[in-house]
Amino acid sequence: MARSTFKGPIRSENGVEIGTSGTQLTFVKKGTVSINPSSISAGAVGEETITITGAVVGDEVILHPPAAGLTAGLVVCDARVSAADTVKVRLFNSTGAPIDEAAASWIYVLIRS
């Protein structure tokens, strides 16, 4: 198959499938969101609620912590869309002391298939 070159965004009303056995994607969105986790006790899990406009239940959420990283011992457990525009992020404190992480900008990617 010949290669094609396009300028500007490529838009499809029916999604896109890459490769012969890829999954059809109908929505992908990347951006940043500020997260300011509450203090998490030693050995505990904390959950934060953030707003990502356009998120719908069933979307896959990928979160990248700030470039400076997280406090040692703080682990991202998961992120899920719990309602329209609402994402829940669970963090685990694996240390023996509380962690009060500072607010920071995280990168997110939403994927819908």
Side-chain angles (χ1 to χ4, degrees), residues 28-37 50 52 60-71 74-80 87-91 101-111:
V28 177
K29 180 179 181 181
K30 180 181 177 186
T32 60
V33 62
S34 180
I35 300 178
N36 186 9
I50 59 174
I52 299 179
E60 295 291 330
V61 181
I62 301 168
L63 279 177
H64 295 280
L70 298 174
T71 299
L74 191 59
V75 180
V76 180
C77 296
D78 66 16
R80 71 189 189 291
V87 173
K88 301 275 187 168
V89 181
R90 290 185 341 144
L91 301 165
E101 190 73 9
S105 183
W106 293 50
I107 296 171
Y108 70 83
V109 178
L110 292 177
I111 301 172

Side-chain angles (χ1 to χ4, degrees), residues 47-62:
E47 186 171 75
E48 300 301 320
T49 301
I50 59 174
T51 299
I52 299 179
T53 303
V56 299
V57 173
D59 284 355
E60 295 291 330
V61 181
I62 301 168

